[in-house]
């Protein structure tokens, strides 16, 4: 099987950082979000196709310098085509069936068993479903016999939600669904195409482990905590010469001698935390500097940002050189 990963969104909810870096390259627990998603794919996947658009050059460059374990190819949109349009644009040579991945979901999921379940079901699609308490931001599945999906309700009020099982952004589809997507225009696969496929048999695959959609600051940091707690953040050891709790994922060339850490921190490549500074529950991206005595909590510090000595940054998304910078 091949896999098609959608990676062309603007990441508006993570602005201003997503003005300067695509969401999928933000490191969580020591690795870009995209690579945590790709890690879910079985080893025998034949090829991964990335449907890119926004900041495609940055993604191409990163993937070239950090090749994943499968052959990888990018197909770029010249204008945003939405999830369905992106699939259509990247459809040439797709396998039957194929994996479809949103590139911003963090999950413990056995996609190999999902593929086996898909083949056994005889349906046209199988969608991983995550159980959440608050269904309001999501597409919620109504489930019938054998977990066949009978309807999707988008962003329902709790009283209207047919279940607590939502579209987890990981699915498997027969190639025929690509023929259902109209060409050369923006299409939302979930809203415009999936409802019409339900009659052909679309089944839910309930995820048992953790899941989160890392699309906002709060959820991104929660996703990072899940990754560390799920053992996907490396050894989590404190950087040389620092003190505190950890886990900390210190990427290549980062340094933090004399600094202290709370729990759940990623230091991006060449990030520096100076003596007397403290970072907790945050991501400090490549080349950013947390100066002496500064304190960063619950924040996403963008590439190259300098957090001024002695200042306190809490629950913030910071980016340099971006419109709307909140620094
Ligand atoms: P927000 O703007 O903050 O909602 O984030 P987003 O742009 O990532 O949108 P959303 O989370 O709804 O997207 C779900 C997945 O589809 C993500 O992996 C996106 O990168 C991807 N995606 C969204 N729009 C497009 C598009 O127009 N083309 C392609 N190729 N992928 C898209």
């Amino acid at each position: 099987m091949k896999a098609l990963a959608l990676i062309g969104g603007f990441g508006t909810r993570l602005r201003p950082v997503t003005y300067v870096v695509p969401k999928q390259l933000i490191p969580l627990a020591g690795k870009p979000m995209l690579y945590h998603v790709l890690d879910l794919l079985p080893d025998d996947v034949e090829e991964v196709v990335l449907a890119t658009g926004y900041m495609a050059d940055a993604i191409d460059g990163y993937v070239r310098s950090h090749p994943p374990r499968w052959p990888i190819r990018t197909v770029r949109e010249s204008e945003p085509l939405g999830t369905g349009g992106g699939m259509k644009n990247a459809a040439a040579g797709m396998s039957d069936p194929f994996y479809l991945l949103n590139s911003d979901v963090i999950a413990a999921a056995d996609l190999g068993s999902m593929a086996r379940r898909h083949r056994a079901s005889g349906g046209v699609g199988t969608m991983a479903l995550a159980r959440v308490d608050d269904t309001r931001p999501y597409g919620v599945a109504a489930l019938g016999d054998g977990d066949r999906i009978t309807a999707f309700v988008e962003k329902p009020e709790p009283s209207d939600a047919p279940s607590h099982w939502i579209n987890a952004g990981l699915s498997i589809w027969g190639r025929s669904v690509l023929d259902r997507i109209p060409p050369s225009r923006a299409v939302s696969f979930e809203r415009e195409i999936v409802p019409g496929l339900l009659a052909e048999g679309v089944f839910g695959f309930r995820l048992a482990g953790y899941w989160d959609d890392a699309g906002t600051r709060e959820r991104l940091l929660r996703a990072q905590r899940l990754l560390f707690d799920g053992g996907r953040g490396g050894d989590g050891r404190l950087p040389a010469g620092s003190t505190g709790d950890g886990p900390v994922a210190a990427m290549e060339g980062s340094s933090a001698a004399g600094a202290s850490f709370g729990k759940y921190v990623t230091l991006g490549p060449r990030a520096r935390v100076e003596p007397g500074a403290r970072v907790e529950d945050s991501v400090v991206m490549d080349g950013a500097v947390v100066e002496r005595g500064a304190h960063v909590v619950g924040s996403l510090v963008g590439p190259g940002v300098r957090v001024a000595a002695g200042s306190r940054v809490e629950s913030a998304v910071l980016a340099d050189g971006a419109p709307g910078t909140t620094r």
Side-chain angles (χ1 to χ4, degrees):
M1 280 173 73
K2 297 189 180 184
L4 199 168
L6 295 166
I7 188 173
F10 288 97
T12 52
R13 292 166 298 162
L14 281 170
R15 285 177 178 168
V17 152
T18 46
Y19 284 123
V20 295
V21 65
K23 173 166 68 174
Q24 290 80 1
L25 294 186
I26 296 171
L28 295 182
K31 207 186 316 192
M33 197 185 293
L34 169 67
Y35 285 63
H36 286 296
V37 183
L38 297 182
D39 273 351
L40 297 175
L41 289 169
D43 288 339
D44 59 2
V45 160
E46 219 180 295
E47 183 184 43
V48 175
V49 179
L50 301 179
T52 61
Y54 181 62
M55 291 204 167
D57 284 344
I59 291 161
D60 275 343
Y62 196 91
V63 167
R64 255 200 310 275
S65 56
H66 300 78
R69 60 183 195 276
W70 314 266
I72 194 153
R73 181 163 62 89
T74 56
V75 180
R76 189 181 290 214
E77 290 152 40
S78 46
E79 58 188 275
L81 293 173
T83 50
M87 289 166 68
K88 184 80 175 179
N89 193 51
M94 199 39 67
S95 60
D96 184 22
F98 64 94
Y99 294 102
L100 177 68
L101 312 177
N102 280 6
S103 48
D104 54 357
V105 294
I106 294 305
D110 180 350
L111 296 188
S113 359
M114 183 157 96
R116 285 189 289 282
R117 179 87 71 80
H118 174 77
R119 291 181 196 280
S121 77
V124 71
T126 300
M127 301 176 76
L129 303 175
R131 196 186 185 292
V132 298
D133 290 330
D134 182 2
T135 53
R136 277 175 298 184
Y138 303 110
V140 185
L143 294 165
D145 286 350
D147 279 350
R148 184 169 178 158
I149 298 173
T150 54
F152 260 108
V153 184
E154 278 299 324
K155 303 185 174 49
E157 281 305 310
S159 54
D160 299 327
S163 76
H164 280 277
W165 293 95
I166 60 149
N167 174 7
L170 306 166
S171 52
I172 296 175
W173 298 96
R175 197 175 46 208
S176 63
V177 305
L178 297 167
D179 300 331
R180 307 281 286 267
I181 305 170
S184 314
R185 73 165 171 89
V187 179
S188 162
F189 183 63
E190 307 74 47
R191 291 204 192 91
E192 294 179 56
I193 308 299
V194 171
L197 295 171
L198 297 182
E200 294 176 41
V202 178
F203 291 84
F205 179 79
R206 300 184 194 217
L207 297 181
Y210 60 81
W211 176 88
D212 217 327
D213 142 29
T216 64
R217 180 191 58 81
E218 292 92 331
R219 289 198 218 139
L220 177 136
L221 294 176
R222 195 168 64 197
Q224 170 159 272
R225 297 195 287 271
L226 292 171
L227 287 167
F228 274 123
D229 288 346
R232 288 172 64 197
D235 61 19
R237 230 177 308 146
L238 291 173
S242 67
T243 56
D245 299 327
V248 175
M251 298 175 74
E252 68 274 11
S254 61
S255 60
S260 80
F261 291 95
K263 290 181 161 187
Y264 307 118
V265 173
T266 292
L267 292 186
R270 296 165 302 284
R272 192 169 85 238
V273 186
E274 292 186 344
R278 181 171 173 81
V279 181
E280 46 195 289
D281 192 25
S282 293
V283 174
V284 179
M285 292 184 65
D286 35 308
V289 180
V290 181
E291 293 180 351
R292 285 173 183 269
H295 191 168
V296 174
V297 189
S299 296
L300 178 55
V301 178
V305 167
R306 291 188 80 90
V307 176
S311 62
R312 182 179 170 91
V313 165
E314 189 163 354
S315 306
V317 178
L318 307 182
D320 258 0
T325 294
T326 56
R327 211 181 141 184

